Amino acid sequence: MSSETTPTLDPSLFADGPARDARFTVAARWVDCANYPVGHPLRAIEFLHRQMNEEVDSLECSAANLRDFPDAAWELRLALARQCADEARHAAMFRRIFERRGGRLGQYPVLNFQYRIVAHIPSLVGRLAIQNRSFEAGGLDAIASGIEQARRDGDEDLVELFEAQRADEISHVRFANEWINASTQQNPRSVLDIGLALAGASKAFHQVMGSEATEGVNFPADGAARSEAGFTDSEVGLAIQLQTQQAGRSPLDPPRRG
Ligand SMILES: [Fe+2]
Ligand SMILES: [Fe+2]
């Protein structure tokens, strides 16, 4: 178990880290991970290990939502419970393919920024806006690029994995979008909660990632997946426009692929 706060992170912006067993080295910042350059022979397998841990983080965020908001609407709690099951399945899929390709659990440092940022947000609507509507929507774009790359490489196993993951991630973004829209219509205070969550998460994300993680990393917006996930046409248009204009990615799009 590790809380991995270092002097470079402001503890007031983060929840304590989730438990990891002794096999894992937990990094506090992106720069402390094994960031192999494009073309490095270990880059692809390290990604599978990192993504496996990020899926566990997603599971832990959804589980924390169930734990911390017992009075949320039953339908929303059901969607969160389903998300827990999906994320557990994703972690297992990434673990399987990682080990089949010769990886060993704990071989590379892991980063628990998602959980530490999301679990620190005091409102459920704020957590859904960051986790599902920002991180996972950014993940949809990255998965689409991952599918194209895997196709070009003739890596059918990875294409299949990403396609299965994509279908689930669309549903996670969609239920959050629906619930956020209903919530902001019923209770104007939700808009404030979302704004506060975005401001805090953006600061925290920048501390973890630094400029090194985001410079030159950009995936084109997956308009079809975003529409299916409940974004309006104008929101999809804006995402495409922003990602076309940006040299780097949005501060809330982590370097993940789902
Ligand atoms: Fe996932
Ligand atoms: Fe997800």
Side-chain angles (χ1 to χ4, degrees):
M1 176 159 182
S2 166
S3 68
E4 91 253 25
T5 300
T6 71
T8 54
L9 296 184
D10 175 356
S12 73
L13 295 172
F14 297 91
D16 285 341
R20 291 291 178 271
D21 67 44
R23 289 171 297 182
F24 293 93
T25 303
V26 178
R29 301 182 67 231
W30 181 89
V31 77
D32 302 321
C33 293
N35 302 305
Y36 297 111
V38 176
H40 192 285
L42 293 177
R43 184 177 166 90
I45 196 152
E46 191 278 337
F47 162 74
L48 298 173
H49 187 266
R50 183 185 304 224
Q51 189 60 36
M52 172 198 70
N53 186 68
E54 290 202 8
E55 299 294 343
V56 178
D57 263 44
S58 297
L59 160 60
E60 290 163 324
C61 288
S62 311
N65 289 343
L66 287 170
R67 177 197 63 201
D68 296 341
F69 302 97
D71 298 329
W74 187 85
E75 293 79 5
L76 178 58
R77 288 176 60 75
L78 180 62
L80 288 166
R82 285 189 172 132
Q83 183 173 1
C84 288
D86 291 344
E87 307 298 7
R89 194 170 55 253
H90 298 167
M93 288 179 343
F94 278 102
R95 177 181 180 171
R96 245 189 331 266
I97 198 166
F98 170 71
E99 290 186 322
R100 228 171 22 224
R101 293 179 181 195
R104 176 182 49 78
L105 283 192
Q107 195 171 349
Y108 307 101
V110 294
L111 192 60
N112 294 318
F113 74 97
Q114 277 196 69
Y115 178 85
R116 298 198 60 200
I117 290 175
V118 172
H120 186 257
I121 297 168
S123 65
L124 181 53
V125 73
R127 290 189 189 185
L128 291 174
I130 301 303
Q131 170 69 13
N132 298 46
R133 201 177 199 269
S134 302
F135 286 158
E136 299 206 9
L140 288 177
D141 305 332
I143 294 171
S145 296
I147 290 173
E148 274 176 35
Q149 183 61 51
R151 278 220 176 91
R152 279 197 295 275
D153 297 342
D155 189 341
E156 282 312 312
D157 284 353
L158 207 50
V159 171
E160 210 176 291
L161 183 156
F162 281 143
E163 282 181 341
Q165 185 196 9
R166 181 176 185 266
D168 291 336
E169 302 298 356
I170 286 173
S171 75
H172 304 161
V173 180
R174 188 168 51 210
F175 86 73
N177 262 327
E178 286 168 2
W179 198 78
I180 288 167
N181 289 341
S183 175
T184 52
Q185 273 164 23
Q186 284 159 16
N187 178 10
R189 153 112 214 161
S190 297
V191 178
L192 193 62
D193 289 338
I194 292 170
L196 285 170
L198 279 166
S202 185
K203 240 194 251 176
F205 186 82
H206 185 73
Q207 282 194 10
V208 173
M209 294 298 169
S211 55
E212 304 93 336
T214 49
E215 268 166 15
V217 183
N218 195 21
F219 299 104
D222 182 350
R226 281 177 177 259
S227 295
E228 245 186 281
F231 285 102
T232 63
D233 288 348
S234 61
E235 286 167 336
V236 172
L238 184 63
I240 291 171
Q241 198 188 336
L242 284 174
Q243 290 183 335
T244 308
Q245 284 169 357
Q246 274 175 338
R249 304 178 69 201
S250 149
L252 276 172
D253 285 346
R256 60 172 295 194
R257 297 185 195 173

